[in-house]
Amino acid sequence: MRRTVTLAAATAAAVTAAVLGAAPSASAGLTTYCVGTGGAVTVPNDLYVPPGESCALTGTIITGNVAVAAGANLVVDGGRVDGLVEIASDGYLDARNSTVRGDVVVASGGYGVYLQDTDSGSVTVRAKGSSTINTFLFADASTITGSVNASAGDVRLDRGTTVTGSLSTNGSYYTDLHDSFVDGALSVLNSGSGSVICGSAVAGRSTFAGNVGGVQVGPNGTLDSCASGGYFGADVSITNTTGGVTVDDTIINGALTVQRNTPAARVAANNRIRGGVAGDPAAPSAQRQAARAAAADRDATAQDRTDARHDAAVDEAAAAGAARL
């Protein structure tokens, strides 16, 4: 009889809580929901940022995978994720001074990924599809252990960023490397606003094809400011490019092929190209007339997009209060 009464009381309490709209536990099964801010704690399972919400973590360790839902933001500073991170449409990942041991995957129409002084696994950016959002991947002084594959958006590696595998983009808006390293091959195909490679090193073969807006290798181009050339450990091919091609102050430990570019590629005399130049470069007189047209500051534009989403996410998380991790 006592057991029956206790069970009835517990049932009544549960019904009352449901009627009053009691919030569910932050940890449901093997997933922890994060809305708000979190500190130096360990999340012993997967973490999920619900649609349209913001989660800002400082010094937090997540032992599982992370999912950032549509329109959601995850900001991690001084933290660690042991699994992979998946970012949905209009979702955003901002990781600084952190480690992501798994891969990072951005769905079609994801807002973007910003890595600063952060180590991560391979990064994949899916094709834009019908989305109106232009995704981005910006890596600043970071290490990507594995490869980068992007089929959309703005791709910029800067300040000593290293990719231990290959970097391949097809259909990005632009793909730029500044003072960075790619230990494998580099492939930039069909970009909408060209590619800039400045002060960087690529160990494997480099292929640029079908790009609109030009390709700038080294300084004295028209796409972006650049102080120095770079090093390529294998053959470099730049073909079927419109908007101008410039190769300046660069070392190529292989051959340079420039074919079917409009206008013809300008290959400066100060390059050191071990395997020679093949194709149809511009005549020497035209090569000396490297244009200095003012171009949009791509770095400033990238930083503006990152700062705007980061600041808004941190403010929203603070307004939500402490997350129940």
Side-chain angles (χ1 to χ4, degrees):
M1 180 68 178
R2 179 179 177 82
R3 181 177 179 181
T4 302
V5 172
T6 301
L7 179 60
T11 302
V15 172
T16 301
V19 172
L20 294 177
S25 170
S27 297
L30 299 178
T31 301
T32 294
Y33 284 58
C34 182
V35 178
T37 59
V41 299
T42 297
V43 177
N45 45 34
D46 294 345
L47 185 135
Y48 177 69
V49 186
E53 302 290 355
S54 292
C55 172
L57 304 176
T58 303
T60 307
I61 296 174
I62 302 163
T63 62
N65 300 320
V66 171
V68 181
N73 304 297
L74 174 61
V75 177
V76 183
D77 191 350
R80 192 183 82 210
V81 178
D82 290 343
L84 65 85
V85 178
E86 294 181 293
I87 303 162
S89 175
D90 196 30
Y92 177 55
L93 170 67
D94 188 304
R96 308 183 187 210
N97 307 297
S98 297
T99 298
V100 179
R101 290 177 172 172
D103 296 343
V104 177
V105 180
V106 185
S108 299
Y111 185 81
V113 174
Y114 179 63
L115 307 175
Q116 183 184 76
D117 296 298
T118 290
D119 295 342
S120 81
S122 294
V123 180
T124 299
V125 179
R126 305 291 189 197
K128 184 176 180 179
S130 60
S131 172
T132 59
I133 297 173
N134 192 44
T135 308
F136 65 79
L137 165 62
F138 302 148
D140 187 14
S142 296
T143 298
I144 297 172
T145 302
S147 297
V148 173
N149 292 281
S151 299
D154 306 346
V155 178
R156 183 181 178 97
L157 278 57
D158 209 341
R159 274 203 326 129
T161 291
T162 296
V163 178
T164 66
S166 297
L167 169 60
S168 177
T169 68
N170 189 344
S172 67
Y173 184 63
Y174 67 76
T175 300
D176 292 357
L177 275 68
H178 284 257
D179 303 312
S180 294
F181 307 89
V182 176
D183 289 338
L186 170 64
S187 178
V188 182
L189 309 178
N190 305 310
S191 69
S193 186
S195 180
V196 178
I197 313 295
C198 285
S200 298
V202 179
R205 178 181 175 83
S206 297
T207 303
F208 304 84
N211 297 296
V212 178
V215 171
Q216 176 183 331
V217 179
N220 297 317
T222 62
L223 295 180
D224 205 349
S225 59
C226 180
S228 63
Y231 172 81
F232 294 84
D235 294 345
V236 176
S237 174
I238 308 174
T239 61
N240 298 300
T241 296
T242 58
V245 173
T246 57
V247 182
D248 185 57
D249 192 25
T250 293
I251 299 171
I252 299 176
N253 191 23
L256 170 65
T257 299
V258 286
Q259 291 180 324
R260 299 180 298 279
N261 300 301
T262 306
R266 296 192 299 269
V267 181
N270 62 359
N271 294 297
R272 285 170 283 176
I273 304 172
R274 184 173 185 179
V277 180
D280 48 8
S285 59
Q287 292 173 12
R288 290 194 296 268
Q289 297 172 1
R292 291 278 190 169
D297 191 331
R298 293 147 84 112
D299 184 31
T301 301
Q303 198 62 51
D304 288 346
R305 293 189 65 193
T306 298
D307 291 345
R309 190 70 177 240
H310 170 271
D311 294 348
V314 169
D315 290 345
E316 290 170 6
R324 295 179 295 160
L325 303 179

